[in-house]
Amino acid sequence: MATSKEKDESFRASERSAAQVAVFSQDRGKNSKLGPEERRVILIGKIGAGKSHTGNGLLGKQHFVSKRCWSSVTRRCEYGVGIRNGFLYRIYDTPGMSSPKDAGIDVESDIRRCLFCTSPGFHAIVLVLSAAERITAEDMKMLELLDKLLEESAFKYMILVISKLENDESQLTEMMSEAKEVVELNVKCSGRHVIFGDSKKKIPSECVLKFDDMLTNLIKENSRRGKEHYTHKYYDKATKILEKDKKDYMKENPEIPEGEAMEIVRNRAAEGLSPRDGELKAIDDCCIIS
């Protein structure tokens, strides 16, 4: 397992690479004044839904470990960055909901921590649903937990990704007719859903491009409301704690600029690596989901 220092170096290398591509894009295109547009996305879903596979498709490269199995491949929130189709995607992959706590995974705490440690928030909350499985009582419990974890405003930022289904809207419509819970969820998301195909290796390009367009429109819609990013209500409380992390980090690494140092400690915290992780978990204990 990588050390905190190795993770920091990896993060800085990814950011430098993204910045270099952004500058290259600016140099080549007179109309690309700001380089690739940023897209911040968090992936949520139950075990085996295909979150990591979805993340790799959005990044346009193999970054997250992805395989079909009955246990959660992603053990903690993980971060990936990549440029695809002119967009700079920053993806946070989370452990599968319903992961057993005896496996050492506290999914709700991990997701909640990721939500209020990242800055400036998320353009989209992507809920990945597998079409290969029936909707069960466990799934309903997961949706109830999401309601409590994210609150109603989150649905203004949510996109449903349907995995393990051929890109066929008529088949999805037929399946939805037998699952009112998914229909209700789709309505809450204002009909924003994208099928991501049934291939283990690659998500069809037309599906990923449809997602790009949907997210672009969603960002425009939320920007008009004056709320481009979904920000957790405990974001400010978490930031005060992370300011302490930043000061400690800069004492150990004085060569790192302040802004970069803050991004590093935020990503550390999102992955559960803050030295003050106990304080972050303690923010509003009454809202921790059991």
Side-chain angles (χ1 to χ4, degrees), residues 82-119:
I83 293 180
R84 180 189 53 74
N85 193 30
F87 299 112
L88 172 60
Y89 271 99
R90 299 183 186 278
I91 307 292
Y92 289 82
D93 187 19
T94 66
M97 296 191 76
S98 303
S99 297
K101 289 193 176 183
D102 58 10
I105 307 174
D106 187 352
V107 180
E108 290 81 22
S109 290
D110 274 6
I111 292 174
R112 200 163 58 95
R113 185 201 299 115
C114 186
L115 286 169
F116 58 54
C117 286
T118 49
S119 173

Side-chain angles (χ1 to χ4, degrees), residues 15-70:
E15 293 300 306
R16 283 195 297 269
S17 176
Q20 287 168 359
V21 174
V23 170
F24 179 72
S25 299
Q26 286 178 270
D27 291 342
R28 292 192 63 187
K30 293 181 180 179
N31 295 326
S32 301
K33 295 181 180 179
L34 299 177
E37 293 182 30
E38 187 179 64
R39 299 284 186 264
R40 289 180 171 267
V41 175
I42 184 170
L43 303 170
I44 295 175
K46 65 180 290 188
I47 294 173
K51 297 181 303 302
S52 299
H53 184 52
T54 296
N56 290 333
L58 295 179
L59 290 175
K61 62 182 181 181
Q62 291 298 118
H63 176 79
F64 302 113
V65 177
S66 173
K67 62 181 180 180
R68 293 187 178 181
C69 61
W70 287 329

Side-chain angles (χ1 to χ4, degrees), residues 183-195:
V183 173
E184 291 171 359
L185 185 59
N186 189 47
V187 170
K188 283 186 175 183
C189 297
S190 300
R192 289 185 299 271
H193 67 263
V194 185
I195 301 171

Side-chain angles (χ1 to χ4, degrees), residues 7-21:
K7 281 180 172 286
D8 294 345
E9 284 302 317
S10 176
F11 170 77
R12 295 185 69 200
S14 296
E15 293 300 306
R16 283 195 297 269
S17 176
Q20 287 168 359
V21 174

